Amino acid sequence: MRSLLGRLVDVRAGEGQPAFQAGLTLFLLIGGHTVLETARDALFLAKLAPSRLTLVYGLIAALALLASPLCTALARRFGRRNALIALLLLAAYGTALFNVQPLGVPGVFALYAWSGLLGTLLLLQFWLFASELLTVAQGKRLYGAIAAGGVLGAVAGASSAAALLVRLRVQNLLLLGAACFLLAGLVLTTVWTEPLPVPKRSASASNSGQAGWRGAWQSAYDLFAQQPYVRRLAALVSLSSAALLATDYLFKASVTRHVPGAELGSFFAGYYALLNTASLLAQLFISGPLIRRLGVVPALAVLPALLVVGGGVTLFAGVSLGLVLGLKASDGTFRYSVHRVASELAEMPLSPRVQEQTKAYVDGPLPRVAQALTAGLLLALAAGGLASERIVAALATLLSLGWLWVVLRLSTPYLERLREALAKPAFDLRSWITELDLDSVEAVLEALSSTVPARVLGALDLLTDKGRVRLIPALVLYHEDESVILHALEIFGTSDRDDWLPHSERLLAHSSPAVRAAVLQALLRRGRHVALERGLDDPSPLVRAYALFWTLSLEQASEPLADARLQSLLALAGEPGEQAQLALLSAIRAAPHARWTEVLLALAARDTPQFERLAQAMGEIADARFVPLLLPRLGRREGRGAVREALVRLGDVALEALARAFDDPHTPERVRAHIPRTVSRFRSQAAADLLLDWLDSERPGGLRYKALRGLGRLIAEQRVRVDRERIDRQLRLNLLEYLRMLSLRQPLALRPEVARGGRSLRLVVGLIDDKLEQSLERAFRLLQIRHRHENLRSVYFASRSPERVRRAHALEFLDVLTAPGANSPLGQQVRQLVLLVVDDLSVADRLARASSFVPNQPSSYAATLQALVADHDETLAAFAAYHALEVGSAELAGVVVEALRERPALARASGNATLFPALAGVTHAG
Amino acid sequence: MLAEPIGRHRELDRVERELFLRSTIGRNLPSTRELAELMRDVAFEAGSTIYHEGDVAEEIFFVLRGTVALSKAGGVRHEYGPGSVIGIFDVEQDKPRARTALALTDVALLALSSEDRLELLEDSFEQTSAIIRMAAARLDEFARYGGGPLDPGVTLAPKPEPLLLIERVFTLRDTPAFRRASIQALVSLAPAADEVRLAAGERLFERGEARAVLFVVVAGCLELQRADGQRERFGAASLLGGGAAFGDALVRQSARALTSAVLLRIREEDFYDVMEDHFELARSLLAYLASEQERRLEEREEAASRGRAPPHEDARSAR
């Protein structure tokens, strides 16, 4: 029985009890309401004509409109579970009261409205409660089973009512209904739910004085104005309610025409019993698998699509009882199963507050309003003699078509809601300054007067970035901080302003050589050569080098290296020599020209200590001869950024050299390790192709990881093509590796504390944990490459969040995201693996479900160690071997000795460091 | 749980925010806008609580305007003004808030989540190493390096020669600075280290010699002597000089072995190379540096409460 249930419903550890309690509550709630409806219909139709129903529909709509916001407010104030309990108790009390009152015309009118209102509010509150009890991922698996409780309740309620009516008065059925509500409330008191984090109202909102109905209307208006997704849901709810009512009318009209009046009762009873059974079967066997397979939004399209097709056929082939029964069967089978469950799930990505508001303003009153309007329209058509079955069929089909159209346009907003649910509040970039208004300028100018240098530098940057250099006062050159003066001179020197020139001359005598050099440079850039001769005689080699650079540039010297003054500057040793080289290289970088190429080559040959500046200057001149000088420097930390930049500026010739170096076995590992990231900076299709080739190769994992990161960075910044199938292959590999590592970890983690080898065991488990982390991170990076416009990073974090709702949203997002790619066997496999790895499962459950992907999972501790010793990862194999020896088992020692014979490299584990204390001894022992 | 501003949310002065970013944390980043994208602005009214002691620490806050007080139950209260960073120690160590943060005036803050900060640092290696050096320099200012009152006699433990790789990994894993690093990172770091063996009384380095190098004690007891004559002892599985060793602290010290000792010598360049490939090593180190700074500040507070030294906290500081 248990395994049969397990096959029908995917219930996981810890989920059975809450799902059963929710199902039982819905069973009692719907059962009670069905009994109430039976009594209500009988009492109403005994005293009033059916035409009065349209009035009561209108009344129910108005009451629902008023009561729904109150109910959700109650849920917000006291919690969703408590609100539902309170409502159930009220329902029990109110229903029991109708039993003790003699019911005249106003009484039955009130009873009908009461039952209609309860039908709306109780279901609204129940599904609010269910969305707190279960996440979207759990809902996809369990809502079907819970909703089946409701269908069973309807069947049980109807049959109990029929059976009891043999002995009881109709009005006494109300007591049974009240008892059911009371029981449902009692069951609920045993359920525990984790309240959803609903942010409190902001002080401004709560103090706005918009209390009462005006506030409610404003709130409803805001909801529809600000939430396009909710607008679509509202359209869906309205159109579906109207279409289903029209279909129901068509069904009843057609049955009345074809079935003799005396047989109507038995016909309806038999047909409804059939529909209830079909609905229950759909709930149990179709609903869950269909929603899991198709996804939430496509599942929502099932019922309207059936109604459109059925309606279309009815219209073209002519209205017949068989076709109408078929239409009604679609409604009866799928309305309370697939459609109900998918509708509830479609609201799950909404924030708790918006979800409550949606229940209050959309799910509560809208169906009633739509039904009332449709009923009015049908009444008007009937009054005008136009309510022929063909016209009603046309109306129902048209409404279903509208419903289907709304559903088909829901996929993108649904995904968007999931994205929003996964995103975090962040800085609003719309408020990032693009233009400076007068107030802003005032604030920035004030910052320029600050005594804090960093603040002045920030203000200088801000004005420069916004193209407002003219607003920087020349008096900033009188600032006491050297970094401010240097930055201001750099800005002024590259601007078209001259008003700063008179203030700069005093700086030529500044005590700091850096300032003297900077002012000289700035003046020369503005064509002021007056200070050049003074600079050539400056005591600082820094200033002299700048002056000489500009002198030789102005002279257009074809071979600056032949100049004696330059030779003597370059010949300076120690700090003066470094300063001269720094100045020369900075000047070349600022005013690059091919004449300086030989100077740069000469400095490279001397292994200048200013290699970072040299690389920057090389990048500006971009001569192909620089490539072999720059490339080996990737292996050194100092100046690596500048080297990368220079290589990128050198373009294709550098990219080709990098590709050759990566494949060259003589390239030092330290250099090779930095090639992928360098290649990613090229931002070209050729660079992307290279990185993908390296990623999809047999190279060591570390290098492939670097290629992956590089490719990810490149794709984020540049539009390039990537072969999706190759990415999918990598994805599959990493996800399989994740599951494989998990299968190796489990037997080790389950092992009780041991006297020997505890420390080395922790090391092995730690290494496996690292690998689990790595493979998952890589898989998400690959997914990001596959879906470049999505923010997979936030999904990754959400999937590891301690909050179950965020984890469920991540799973649902990935489910929707990977669905379109699952049209090939590889894509389908990748999708299954992604969902398996991210799904909220215990390790044992995950591994059990992964058995088709990882067939040979070790079941014992010894088997796991044997598998680890044979692992392709040498470090992991070596550490496992070490641990196996520490444990002291003769069998494991034999395995290790054999492994070491076959793979002597294991004894090293990493680099040249020795792992085993007495390898020879171990070999002997074996 | 992200902090929810409970006071009236003031519209921040946009210029002020941009100036703040450009003049502080954003200055050394390639794009201030990129940093801004990761932040959210929050405002609190005077008297409201920004976070409570014991809350989950998920964000760090940059004070744009106003004054924030940090205090723990029964402890000293410290005040922080514009330019300060609050909540960073908890976030670095991934532990609940150690103090309650209270807005003393209306305050404007920029909040950066721990996840985003780590992502930013992972992509900007230079920024990460700059933060490490900055924290090391701050530790250096405390004039205490975290050595303990060791009895040299009990720190002796025989070690095979040469050290086995696994022995090196065990030692690194036991060293507080690397305790949170992945095993993979330690496996990469261990072979990059040189083994140093000293006899009792032998000098490890003299003043001015230990540049760009780190020492991890595997066995034995080492004594570090500062220029002012103060001495500190370091035993097995400790970083000689503590977190300050990641700055220039060791250059100004001399060190000798009090017992026969085994050490791992790691060149700073090698360490940073491994760190670039294994960001968890940086995370581990940042957590260690934060815990060391917090410990020093608490020691200082304790000394102040006993009247031995005045409590001092820079107005533009981090905690």
Side-chain angles (χ1 to χ4, degrees):
Chain A
M1 184 65 184
R2 214 179 170 82
S3 66
L4 175 70
L5 268 176
R7 272 202 292 274
L8 287 178
V9 189
D10 183 3
V11 186
R12 295 173 190 174
E15 292 177 345
Q17 190 182 340
F20 175 74
Q21 286 167 320
L24 182 59
T25 305
L26 192 62
F27 170 83
L28 290 166
L29 189 157
I30 297 282
H33 191 255
T34 307
V35 171
L36 176 59
E37 270 186 333
T38 310
R40 168 200 79 179
D41 286 351
L43 290 168
F44 189 93
L45 292 171
K47 291 196 189 302
L48 292 162
S51 60
R52 295 299 175 93
L53 281 173
T54 47
L55 287 176
V56 93
Y57 283 157
L59 180 64
I60 292 171
L63 287 173
L65 204 61
L66 298 174
S68 300
L70 281 180
C71 275
T72 49
L74 194 73
R76 200 175 302 147
R77 179 72 181 84
F78 298 105
R80 294 176 178 186
R81 188 199 66 149
N82 293 345
L84 181 56
I85 292 174
L87 192 63
L88 280 164
L89 293 180
L90 185 69
Y93 179 71
T95 307
L97 271 187
F98 278 107
N99 178 54
V100 295
Q101 299 287 329
L103 293 176
V105 171
V108 290
F109 220 94
L111 177 64
Y112 205 109
W114 170 250
S115 95
L117 189 62
L118 280 186
T120 303
L121 299 184
L122 284 172
L123 282 175
L124 183 155
Q125 286 287 22
F126 175 82
W127 288 110
L128 259 183
F129 154 75
S131 67
E132 185 174 84
L133 186 71
L134 304 170
T135 65
V136 63
Q138 291 172 317
K140 276 174 98 171
R141 291 182 283 106
L142 302 175
Y143 270 10
I146 292 171
V151 179
L152 275 175
V155 174
S159 40
S160 309
L164 285 171
L165 278 176
V166 178
R167 290 181 179 275
L168 298 175
R169 288 189 307 126
V170 173
Q171 200 170 344
N172 294 141
L173 284 180
L174 296 173
L175 270 183
L176 176 64
C180 287
F181 293 144
L182 190 64
L183 265 177
L186 287 176
V187 169
L188 267 182
T189 56
T190 63
V191 184
W192 181 86
T193 60
E194 185 184 334
L196 293 171
V198 185
K200 290 184 172 59
R201 270 171 183 275
S202 66
S204 57
S206 57
N207 294 336
S208 61
Q210 290 178 331
W213 298 115
R214 202 175 143 214
W217 280 112
Q218 182 62 44
S219 175
Y221 174 80
D222 290 346
L223 177 71
F224 290 118
Q226 293 164 10
Q227 302 280 345
Y229 183 67
V230 175
R231 285 205 296 274
R232 285 169 200 262
L233 288 181
L236 191 149
V237 164
S238 307
L239 284 166
S240 62
S241 303
L244 291 171
L245 189 90
T247 307
D248 191 55
Y249 185 93
L250 177 68
F251 162 72
K252 282 174 179 159
S254 191
V255 169
T256 314
R257 195 159 64 84
H258 289 94
V259 179
E263 295 170 23
L264 272 177
S266 57
F267 175 84
F268 279 128
Y271 190 68
Y272 284 153
L274 203 67
L275 286 191
N276 280 335
T277 311
S279 181
L280 184 63
L281 292 175
Q283 200 69 274
L284 289 174
F285 298 104
I286 301 175
S287 180
L290 189 81
I291 292 173
R292 283 205 296 277
R293 192 165 182 82
L294 296 182
V296 171
V297 176
L300 269 176
V302 170
L303 180 53
L306 286 172
L307 291 181
V308 167
V309 172
V313 172
T314 308
L315 273 178
F316 286 107
V319 181
S320 68
L321 183 62
L323 285 172
V324 172
L325 288 181
L327 263 182
K328 182 64 186 170
S330 310
D331 170 12
T333 308
F334 294 111
R335 190 201 296 198
Y336 296 107
S337 54
V338 177
H339 180 66
R340 175 91 228 180
V341 173
S343 300
E344 292 301 330
L345 288 170
E347 289 180 14
M348 295 286 264
L350 294 170
S351 72
R353 178 180 292 283
V354 176
Q355 195 186 21
E356 283 170 3
Q357 288 180 321
T358 306
K359 288 275 177 219
Y361 301 120
V362 176
D363 290 358
L366 268 190
R368 298 297 185 180
V369 172
Q371 283 169 353
L373 289 174
T374 314
L377 178 65
L378 289 170
L379 201 67
L381 285 173
L386 297 170
S388 71
E389 286 174 24
R390 204 178 177 87
I391 287 180
V392 176
L395 178 68
T397 309
L398 199 68
L399 288 166
S400 301
L401 201 62
W403 172 9
L404 185 63
W405 184 74
V406 171
V407 171
L408 293 178
R409 287 165 54 87
L410 205 62
S411 292
T412 312
Y414 177 71
L415 195 62
E416 189 55 43
R417 295 309 309 173
L418 282 169
R419 280 191 199 106
E420 282 179 27
L422 291 167
K424 289 175 298 178
F427 197 94
D428 183 2
L429 276 179
R430 283 171 300 181
S431 63
W432 189 252
I433 303 169
T434 47
E435 286 295 326
L436 292 173
D437 58 20
L438 196 61
D439 288 344
S440 309
V441 167
E442 211 171 88
V444 180
L445 291 181
E446 197 184 312
L448 281 176
S449 314
S450 170
T451 52
V452 180
R455 194 165 165 79
V456 184
L457 291 171
L460 287 174
D461 278 346
L462 195 149
L463 287 170
T464 310
D465 277 5
K466 311 298 174 198
R468 298 299 187 101
V469 173
R470 289 203 158 271
L471 289 177
I472 301 173
L475 293 178
V476 76
L477 293 176
Y478 289 89
H479 201 283
E480 60 185 24
D481 188 83
E482 188 177 315
S483 63
V484 172
I485 300 172
L486 290 174
H487 199 44
L489 282 169
E490 196 183 326
I491 294 168
F492 290 149
T494 49
S495 76
D496 55 0
R497 284 174 57 177
D498 286 334
D499 61 321
W500 58 278
L501 293 171
H503 302 282
S504 66
E505 281 179 17
R506 54 177 273 281
L507 295 175
L508 286 168
H510 198 278
S511 60
S512 159
V515 173
R516 294 203 300 278
V519 75
L520 186 74
Q521 172 100 332
L523 285 169
L524 286 161
R525 277 176 165 179
R526 300 292 308 132
R528 304 296 163 115
H529 307 150
V530 284
L532 207 49
E533 282 199 19
R534 189 172 165 177
L536 285 171
D537 293 330
D538 195 282
S540 162
L542 187 82
V543 184
R544 288 207 304 281
Y546 267 114
L548 185 57
F549 169 83
W550 281 103
T551 306
L552 293 172
S553 293
L554 291 170
E555 288 170 0
Q556 298 189 350
S558 56
E559 288 182 40
L561 204 53
D563 186 275
R565 289 167 297 179
L566 186 64
Q567 282 174 2
S568 72
L569 261 180
L570 294 179
L572 287 172
E575 205 183 326
E578 276 190 40
Q579 282 191 2
Q581 289 178 23
L582 172 74
L584 193 62
L585 292 169
S586 302
I588 294 173
R589 185 190 173 201
H593 191 278
R595 73 170 66 90
W596 297 100
T597 306
E598 295 299 332
V599 174
L600 298 184
L601 290 169
L603 283 171
R606 292 176 188 200
D607 199 15
T608 173
Q610 298 291 342
F611 197 87
E612 187 168 358
R613 299 279 176 161
L614 177 68
Q616 287 168 343
M618 283 176 165
E620 293 298 332
I621 293 179
D623 188 294
R625 283 175 290 172
F626 297 150
V627 175
L629 299 170
L630 288 166
L631 211 147
R633 294 295 291 222
L634 282 175
R636 284 164 67 166
R637 172 163 307 285
E638 190 196 347
R640 190 180 289 143
V643 170
R644 280 187 174 140
E645 187 96 357
L647 287 167
V648 171
R649 281 170 177 268
L650 280 154
D652 286 349
V653 62
L655 187 63
E656 284 161 18
L658 284 164
R660 279 196 304 275
F662 193 79
D663 291 331
D664 186 348
H666 302 298
T667 303
E669 282 309 314
R670 197 181 268 266
V671 173
R672 198 195 317 276
H674 295 283
I675 291 179
R677 187 169 275 195
T678 309
V679 166
S680 74
R681 306 279 165 100
F682 279 75
R683 299 186 182 186
S684 65
Q685 186 61 49
D689 293 344
L690 264 182
L691 289 168
L692 184 57
D693 284 346
W694 293 340
L695 171 65
D696 192 13
S697 69
E698 296 296 316
R699 293 177 186 284
L703 284 177
R704 284 190 287 118
Y705 177 62
K706 282 173 182 286
L708 171 61
R709 289 200 65 161
L711 188 58
R713 177 188 281 260
L714 197 155
I715 277 174
E717 294 169 351
Q718 192 70 29
R719 189 159 182 79
V720 288
R721 289 182 309 280
V722 179
D723 183 345
R724 289 186 168 188
E725 201 181 314
R726 291 175 81 184
I727 296 293
D728 276 355
R729 277 207 299 270
Q730 288 299 313
L731 246 173
R732 183 177 57 184
L733 276 177
N734 279 287
L735 293 165
L736 286 173
E737 180 66 0
Y738 178 89
L739 293 170
R740 192 179 73 87
M741 280 295 139
L742 200 63
S743 75
L744 291 171
R745 188 190 192 281
Q746 184 73 339
L748 300 186
L750 292 178
R751 192 181 189 228
E753 273 300 313
V754 285
R756 297 180 64 183
R759 230 155 71 112
S760 57
L761 175 62
R762 281 196 293 278
L763 217 56
V764 174
V765 173
L767 255 181
I768 294 176
D769 285 342
D770 291 349
K771 292 190 175 298
L772 282 168
E773 186 95 0
Q774 273 171 15
S775 47
L776 194 61
E777 189 209 330
R778 286 172 196 206
F780 269 89
R781 285 188 187 277
L782 287 158
L783 274 171
Q784 182 67 74
I785 292 172
R786 185 80 165 73
H787 305 277
R788 68 181 77 188
H789 300 300
E790 301 295 345
N791 182 0
L792 265 301
R793 185 174 151 262
S794 64
V795 183
Y796 174 66
F797 285 127
S799 72
R800 302 157 63 87
S801 163
E803 294 169 35
R804 67 190 178 109
V805 176
R806 271 177 72 74
R807 290 199 303 274
H809 281 152
L811 178 64
E812 176 63 4
F813 181 83
L814 289 169
D815 190 6
V816 178
L817 190 72
T818 53
N823 46 17
S824 67
L826 175 63
Q828 202 165 0
Q829 217 175 42
V830 165
R831 182 166 192 250
Q832 284 173 351
L833 283 165
V834 168
L835 300 181
L836 183 56
V837 164
V838 178
D839 203 348
D840 239 355
L841 290 163
S842 67
V843 176
D845 244 3
R846 202 185 309 278
L847 287 174
R849 285 161 197 255
S851 57
S852 60
F853 293 110
V854 187
N856 301 317
Q857 297 179 18
S859 53
S860 69
Y861 179 77
T864 306
L865 278 183
Q866 281 189 31
L868 283 168
V869 171
D871 199 89
H872 60 84
D873 184 302
E874 285 197 345
T875 310
L876 185 57
F879 279 45
Y882 185 94
H883 172 65
L885 288 180
E886 267 202 336
V887 170
S889 138
E891 183 199 347
L892 287 174
V895 171
V896 173
V897 170
E898 191 55 38
L900 288 171
R901 269 205 202 99
E902 286 174 16
R903 297 164 74 186
L906 287 192
R908 288 199 308 276
S910 180
N912 291 318
T914 312
L915 179 65
F916 296 104
L919 182 59
V922 170
T923 312
H924 263 307
Chain B
M1 176 83 78
L2 297 176
E4 280 296 333
I6 55 171
R8 188 169 57 88
H9 188 98
R10 287 171 55 178
E11 178 61 35
L12 286 179
D13 181 344
R14 295 182 300 136
V15 174
E16 196 54 49
R17 181 170 56 192
E18 194 166 338
L19 271 173
F20 176 84
L21 285 173
R22 285 175 181 279
S23 59
T24 54
I25 42 176
R27 181 135 192 92
N28 298 320
L29 289 175
S31 162
T32 315
R33 193 185 161 98
E34 190 182 322
L35 175 69
E37 277 180 15
L38 300 174
M39 299 183 123
R40 64 191 189 106
D41 45 18
V42 282
F44 291 87
E45 284 181 340
S48 51
T49 304
I50 299 165
Y51 54 76
H52 291 94
E53 187 178 335
D55 282 356
V56 177
E58 289 181 344
E59 288 179 310
I60 59 172
F61 298 96
F62 299 89
V63 182
L64 277 184
R65 190 171 40 229
T67 309
V68 176
L70 286 187
S71 61
K72 59 164 49 173
V76 183
R77 189 169 92 168
H78 293 278
E79 293 180 10
Y80 297 84
S84 304
V85 187
I86 59 167
I88 190 162
F89 287 169
D90 307 322
V91 165
E92 294 280 33
Q93 294 170 76
D94 199 14
K95 67 176 177 70
R97 297 289 185 196
R99 289 172 168 72
T100 295
L102 187 74
L104 291 181
T105 62
D106 285 0
V107 294
L109 309 166
L110 282 178
L112 178 64
S113 81
S114 167
E115 287 168 3
D116 289 333
R117 179 168 178 271
L118 290 173
E119 180 81 4
L120 199 71
L121 292 181
E122 194 171 0
D123 280 347
S124 173
F125 181 81
E126 303 310 324
Q127 181 83 352
T128 310
S129 45
I131 288 175
I132 289 171
R133 283 177 217 282
M134 220 158 66
R138 204 163 173 229
L139 277 172
D140 203 3
E141 287 170 14
F142 286 99
R144 283 241 325 116
Y145 297 125
L150 292 175
D151 174 2
V154 299
T155 60
L156 288 168
K159 294 288 168 190
E161 188 175 358
L163 280 172
L164 307 176
L165 175 73
I166 205 155
E167 200 65 49
R168 293 176 175 218
V169 176
F170 281 144
T171 303
L172 291 172
R173 189 151 173 77
D174 291 342
T175 306
F178 310 126
R179 203 165 279 162
R180 295 183 189 209
S182 66
I183 304 289
Q184 197 82 50
L186 301 183
V187 167
S188 302
L189 186 61
D194 299 322
E195 189 176 322
V196 181
R197 286 180 181 263
L198 299 173
E202 198 177 343
R203 285 274 170 198
L204 176 63
F205 54 77
E206 290 293 349
R207 202 160 295 146
E209 285 178 357
R211 285 181 197 279
V213 68
L214 305 164
F215 292 95
V216 175
V217 185
V218 180
C221 180
L222 272 288
E223 186 178 72
L224 205 63
Q225 187 174 0
R226 296 205 305 259
D228 60 7
Q230 293 284 322
R231 291 159 196 253
E232 286 187 53
R233 289 177 181 180
F234 292 85
S238 68
L239 191 63
L240 196 65
F246 285 90
D248 298 327
L250 291 187
V251 183
R252 286 175 280 109
Q253 331 285 326
S254 64
R256 70 184 180 104
L258 294 181
T259 65
S260 63
V262 186
L263 296 101
L264 292 176
R265 178 171 51 209
I266 307 167
R267 289 191 313 140
E268 211 176 75
E269 167 121 3
D270 290 333
F271 176 81
Y272 282 119
D273 268 352
V274 175
M275 194 176 95
E276 196 169 358
D277 287 346
H278 299 276
F279 184 67
E280 330 83 70
L281 192 57
R283 285 188 67 170
S284 173
L285 186 54
L286 288 170
Y288 166 70
L289 291 170
S291 74
E292 285 291 288
Q293 288 179 74
E294 196 167 34
R295 219 172 80 192
R296 298 286 173 281
L297 286 169
E298 276 166 7
E299 284 169 4
R300 185 181 275 183
E301 275 174 23
E302 207 181 311
S305 67
R306 289 199 298 253
R308 280 201 269 145
H312 166 76
E313 200 104 347
D314 191 348
R316 285 169 66 92
S317 55
R319 187 156 197 171

